[in-house]
Amino acid sequence: MARNQAWDPEQLPDLTGRTYLITGSNAGLGYFSSEQLVRAGARVYMTGRSPNRLMAARAAVRRRNPDAGDRVETLLLDTSNLGSVRAAAATIGGRGGLDGLLLNAGIVHPPKERETTGDGNEVVFATNVLGHFALSGALLTTLAAASGRMVWLGSVSTSMAKYDPFDPQLVEGYSGGRAYVQSKVATAALGFEADRRLRAAGVAVSSVVAHPGYSTSGRTPGIVGVNNPTRLTRFADNLQFAITQSKEHGAWTLVRALVDPGIEGGEYWGPRLIVRGEPHRGKSSKITRDPEIAQRLWGVCEDATGVRWPFANAARASA
């Protein structure tokens, strides 16, 4: 698709025969991204850490898309647990081609006090960053075989609070807000660094960063088992209608970043009006584009996960 060709987020191109994996698919942006891809004909692996919530989400996708059939599959995956990441990657890697990976799962409302995972990592950094770094590395050759794409979930918060994640695990000075923003700085920086490394290694996988703007549950359609906002939440979110949008619309940008062949690795996409609107190519905050910060974070992720991306094997798979 040419860059100047119109893109209609409600009429996606035919994705029949393509396969995508989305982390955090049982609700919110991940659910609506899954639904939009399935509606366009794609096969989707919906992942999450709760089997009951995943089953409810898959049932909702099938109910709202009667032609979905067996193109919707679920897979248990907890990005805060490196063992879970390895198991899920092994399962997907054994099933063949993968055209895209949407790294959506994350903690949006961090705990007030610092918590660690069973692997010993700070829980927000582990969930939002480390799990996705490990998953992308483990699935790199699978993506390369299909000349696929990975999309990292950025956030407008990185432009509002420019925390340099020098201490990404926040051993000192933890706060929930800082943990979230630092994780999003890291996510975007790693997405751009991945693109640089993939290009240098000759791997036919593109890495894109996208953000959903300010998408809220109170402005999102109610779906049993997926999105059930209270009346108070709907009232409060609708008071902010000028600067918010539904999670369904927030997913538009993520889906375009994942499937539009006119998008190139290293690009940054978000809503046209930053907090809301149709997908638009933009420019990420300066801190997320700093190669030195990105290289430092890459090393931190390698050490914390024990994962080294197999660039040489992926380059051969691309050939």
Side-chain angles (χ1 to χ4, degrees), residues 66-142:
D67 297 331
D70 62 358
R71 290 185 291 106
V72 189
E73 298 187 47
T74 60
L75 180 67
L76 289 177
L77 170 58
D78 179 355
T79 57
S80 73
N81 184 317
L82 294 175
S84 175
V85 171
R86 287 191 293 270
T91 298
I92 296 299
R95 294 187 182 180
L98 186 64
D99 296 282
L101 179 59
L102 178 54
L103 306 169
N104 164 77
I107 294 176
V108 179
H109 304 293
K112 293 182 179 180
E113 302 295 330
R114 186 178 187 271
E115 296 180 8
T116 57
T117 67
D119 300 305
N121 297 303
E122 189 276 314
V123 68
V124 179
F125 192 68
T127 305
N128 296 9
V129 183
L130 295 177
H132 287 140
F133 178 88
L135 182 66
S136 301
L139 291 175
L140 187 60
T141 55
T142 305

Side-chain angles (χ1 to χ4, degrees), residues 28 32 214-222 226-230 233-234 237-238 244-248:
F32 286 104
Y214 188 12
S215 302
T216 65
S217 61
R219 300 205 61 204
T220 302
V226 174
N227 187 62
N228 302 288
T230 64
T233 296
R234 285 217 181 274
D237 287 356
N238 283 323
T244 62
Q245 63 182 357
S246 69
K247 291 183 183 291
E248 184 176 27

Side-chain angles (χ1 to χ4, degrees), residues 4-314:
N4 58 356
Q5 186 172 339
W7 178 273
D8 185 349
E10 297 185 283
Q11 294 291 330
L12 298 179
D14 184 9
L15 299 176
T16 300
R18 295 184 177 272
T19 302
Y20 301 93
L21 184 150
I22 301 176
T23 66
S25 305
N26 55 271
L29 298 164
Y31 170 82
F32 286 104
S33 295
S34 300
E35 186 177 272
Q36 290 165 25
L37 292 168
V38 168
R39 189 180 302 133
R43 174 179 295 277
V44 175
Y45 291 109
M46 301 179 71
T47 76
R49 62 186 180 182
S50 166
N52 291 339
R53 294 184 69 186
L54 271 178
M55 293 298 288
R58 181 176 68 173
V61 170
R62 288 176 168 176
R63 186 171 63 249
R64 289 161 59 89
N65 297 274
D67 297 331
D70 62 358
R71 290 185 291 106
V72 189
E73 298 187 47
T74 60
L75 180 67
L76 289 177
L77 170 58
D78 179 355
T79 57
S80 73
N81 184 317
L82 294 175
S84 175
V85 171
R86 287 191 293 270
T91 298
I92 296 299
R95 294 187 182 180
L98 186 64
D99 296 282
L101 179 59
L102 178 54
L103 306 169
N104 164 77
I107 294 176
V108 179
H109 304 293
K112 293 182 179 180
E113 302 295 330
R114 186 178 187 271
E115 296 180 8
T116 57
T117 67
D119 300 305
N121 297 303
E122 189 276 314
V123 68
V124 179
F125 192 68
T127 305
N128 296 9
V129 183
L130 295 177
H132 287 140
F133 178 88
L135 182 66
S136 301
L139 291 175
L140 187 60
T141 55
T142 305
L143 282 169
S147 298
R149 178 177 296 170
M150 58 181 71
V151 175
W152 306 70
L153 198 68
S155 169
V156 293
S157 67
T158 65
S159 297
M160 301 174 187
K162 301 176 178 63
Y163 293 133
D164 180 352
F166 188 81
D167 175 16
Q169 302 259 17
L170 288 176
V171 176
E172 302 290 340
Y174 175 89
S175 75
R178 182 164 194 139
Y180 177 75
V181 175
Q182 284 200 158
S183 76
K184 286 304 176 180
V185 169
T187 297
L190 289 167
F192 296 134
E193 180 65 12
D195 179 69
R196 289 188 285 267
R197 295 188 182 220
L198 291 165
R199 288 175 184 271
V203 179
V205 172
S206 55
S207 177
V208 177
V209 180
H211 77 88
Y214 188 12
S215 302
T216 65
S217 61
R219 300 205 61 204
T220 302
I223 301 175
V224 176
V226 174
N227 187 62
N228 302 288
T230 64
R231 290 184 179 181
L232 179 59
T233 296
R234 285 217 181 274
F235 176 75
D237 287 356
N238 283 323
L239 288 177
Q240 305 178 81
F241 74 93
I243 58 170
T244 62
Q245 63 182 357
S246 69
K247 291 183 183 291
E248 184 176 27
H249 289 183
W252 285 353
T253 296
L254 311 186
V255 170
R256 181 171 187 178
L258 189 65
V259 307
D260 184 351
I263 292 177
E264 298 179 357
E267 292 188 6
Y268 178 72
W269 283 74
R272 185 173 60 87
L273 300 178
I274 301 178
V275 291
R276 63 182 179 87
E278 295 187 353
H280 180 78
R281 186 159 56 98
K283 189 173 184 179
S284 185
S285 59
K286 183 177 179 180
I287 192 170
T288 65
R289 294 180 282 110
D290 187 322
E292 291 187 8
I293 291 176
Q295 289 169 22
R296 182 212 312 154
L297 285 166
W298 195 277
V300 167
C301 290
E302 287 184 329
D303 292 342
T305 64
V307 173
R308 304 292 186 273
W309 283 27
F311 290 104
N313 289 344

